[in-house]
Amino acid sequence: MHTILSKKSLSPNVTRLDVRAPRIAQIRRPGQFVIVRSQKGHERIPLTIADSDAACGTIALVVQAVGKTTRELVALGVGDVIRDVSGPLGNPTELLESGRALCVGGGVGTAVVHPIAKALRESGVSVSSVIGGRAKEWVIFADELRRCGEVVVCTDDGSDGRRGFVTDAVREMLEAGGVDIVYAVGPVPMMRAVAELTRPLGVRTIVSLNPVMVDGTGMCGGCRVDVGGEMKFACVEGPEFDGHQVDFDLLADRLKTYHEFERRVDACADGKCLIRR
Ligand code: NAD
Ligand code: FES
């Protein structure tokens, strides 16, 4: 049982939950994630560990409420318990040892970039971040990332920072030179666009993939992705991969697989059941 010790709304559909999980807080490394099940029999949800405090025994989970299960999770309050938190899962981030890293976060993906930027900064690497959201209220983790280095905020409507997608600012920073590696996490089209900017420049680009996951242990095959023409399981061989090798078309296609089913489940929750029996 894992007690929720604090809860904070970060954007209109993104919530931060600081949860008691002492063992995970001690051993987790940037890039790793947990699988959470709020109650017995409920759906399992993979969530990035956005931060941790080993002394307090807590981990920070960032949840985007997009379906029935994630809405139920963010409806929990301080003092409530999450039944299962399994992890840390996945491979830790390949961290640059010296030089300059550019961290790119799109929407809720910015929470995934934060522990990477923090670890790089702690090891003495120079960190710049470009983060984006649809509008000011959708930009998350800006203050935390400013503690790691320079931050450029981008919003689609120009309500905070510069107007436009993160890729506009990334292009300019790459053209200015001096970037040794890029870490990009966000929507699939964003990660693909960043990888296409860095490819001709030969700048190593790490992306964090978010395929559907079930067990998180390499047994179900739900999270399979194509990287460099080989099938990989994101839960045990990722979730981070070389962005220049990822088949983003296949990833986008597989992410759509359950959309219709989720729409039906949501309709049921609203009292308009569409599931054929
Ligand atoms: P969003 O759709 O609001 O986009 C956030 C920002 O990403 C935009 O403001 C823009 O700057 C950039 N962006 C979006 N589309 C782009 C494009 N075509 N080209 C260049 N830049 C683009 O983001 P959201 O609603 O927060 O959704 C985040 C997505 O990230 C979800 O689809 C979620 O599944 C995914 N995600 C990925 C991971 C991961 O590990 N890869 C983790 C969490 C979430
Ligand atoms: Fe089942 Fe990765 S989630 S194999």
Side-chain angles (χ1 to χ4, degrees):
M1 294 290 189
H2 302 271
T3 308
I4 297 172
L5 299 177
S6 85
K7 175 179 176 179
K8 188 178 172 197
S9 172
L10 302 183
S11 86
N13 74 348
V14 177
T15 302
R16 171 176 173 151
L17 301 174
D18 285 83
V19 174
R20 186 156 168 74
R23 193 186 70 83
I24 299 174
Q26 269 184 355
I27 62 173
R28 71 95 208 176
R29 288 163 63 195
Q32 292 185 299
F33 66 97
V34 289
I35 288 196
V36 165
R37 194 171 60 151
S38 57
Q39 291 177 40
K40 192 176 178 185
H42 273 210
E43 190 185 359
R44 296 153 61 88
I45 318 167
L47 295 173
T48 295
I49 307 167
D51 207 350
S52 68
D53 185 331
C56 296
T58 57
I59 56 172
L61 303 177
V62 173
V63 189
Q64 187 179 34
V66 286
K68 181 175 178 289
T69 312
T70 44
R71 281 201 301 270
E72 283 169 358
L73 185 60
V74 299
L76 297 175
V78 172
D80 289 339
V81 290
I82 297 174
R83 185 185 167 96
D84 301 317
V85 179
S86 311
L89 301 169
N91 292 309
T93 303
E94 167 199 318
L95 293 171
L96 183 68
E97 289 179 4
S98 63
R100 180 168 171 234
L102 176 57
C103 295
V104 186
V108 68
T110 310
V112 185
V113 149
H114 170 252
I116 301 172
K118 191 175 169 186
L120 289 166
R121 182 66 183 178
E122 284 168 0
S123 68
V125 168
S126 166
V127 178
S128 301
S129 301
V130 176
I131 60 173
R134 289 168 226 172
K136 185 181 169 86
E137 65 270 29
W138 295 89
V139 175
I140 65 171
F141 276 87
D143 290 341
E144 291 86 344
L145 284 166
R146 283 191 188 103
R147 287 182 215 125
C148 306
E150 136 194 56
V151 176
V152 177
V153 172
C154 308
T155 47
D156 302 4
D157 66 356
S159 55
D160 192 11
R162 48 184 288 174
R163 185 190 196 99
F165 283 172
V166 285
T167 35
D168 299 335
V170 168
R171 183 182 296 107
E172 287 172 22
M173 289 172 104
L174 289 170
E175 281 168 3
V179 174
D180 297 300
I181 194 166
V182 171
Y183 299 90
V185 190
V188 171
M190 184 212 92
M191 293 190 286
R192 185 205 320 247
V194 171
E196 289 315 316
L197 287 175
T198 56
R199 190 192 301 276
L201 303 173
V203 175
R204 183 152 174 76
T205 300
I206 309 283
V207 296
S208 178
L209 305 187
N210 60 328
V212 172
M213 287 191 189
V214 183
D215 61 310
T217 62
M219 310 238 329
C220 71
C223 67
R224 62 188 182 275
V225 291
D226 183 311
V227 182
E230 286 179 33
M231 189 181 72
K232 304 273 184 192
F233 288 172
C235 66
V236 288
E237 296 175 275
E240 296 177 5
F241 294 101
D242 177 349
H244 298 152
Q245 302 287 322
V246 171
D247 183 337
F248 287 107
D249 288 336
L250 183 68
L251 176 63
D253 211 40
R254 285 184 51 77
L255 281 170
K256 283 187 215 137
T257 307
Y258 296 102
H259 277 187
E260 176 57 17
F261 182 74
E262 282 167 2
R263 193 183 69 78
R264 286 164 180 251
V265 170
D266 279 354
C268 279
D270 293 342
K272 296 172 237 151
C273 193
L274 297 171
I275 295 181
R276 271 191 226 109
R277 293 174 197 278

